[in-house]
Amino acid sequence: MGGMLIIFVLTVVVALCAGSYLFTPRGPNQTVTRTALIMTLVSCYLMWAITYLAQLNPLLQPRHSKIRPHTPTGHSF
């Protein structure tokens, strides 16, 4: 599910980018509006994708070989 979700969301973002490019209202600031919309969508996608992929491979707890074992009573003898 992990890899397919990334690809699915990417296709949605590409479709939204194409829609924002095609349906931006005409005017003197059309290029600025297109650029802002597309950059916003791409930035949000990249932030989400990096965060999602980082959670797919979590860091393991470090294993120290030179520590005392845990005792149930809380005292180490």
Side-chain angles (χ1 to χ4, degrees):
M1 172 93 188
M4 292 306 294
L5 184 62
I6 296 289
I7 301 299
F8 175 72
V9 174
L10 178 64
T11 57
V12 169
V13 169
V14 168
L16 288 172
C17 286
S20 67
Y21 183 81
L22 295 174
F23 299 115
T24 303
R26 300 215 183 270
N29 295 327
Q30 182 181 17
T31 305
V32 175
T33 305
R34 281 181 179 171
T35 304
L37 288 171
I38 291 172
M39 286 182 67
T40 300
L41 288 167
V42 170
S43 299
C44 288
Y45 170 75
L46 283 175
M47 187 62 148
W48 172 81
I50 290 169
T51 304
Y52 183 78
L53 289 172
Q55 292 176 6
L56 284 179
N57 189 16
L59 296 175
L60 300 176
Q61 292 181 346
R63 295 182 182 175
H64 299 288
S65 61
K66 297 180 181 179
I67 61 172
R68 290 178 284 198
H70 175 72
T71 58
T73 59
H75 300 292
S76 58
F77 296 104

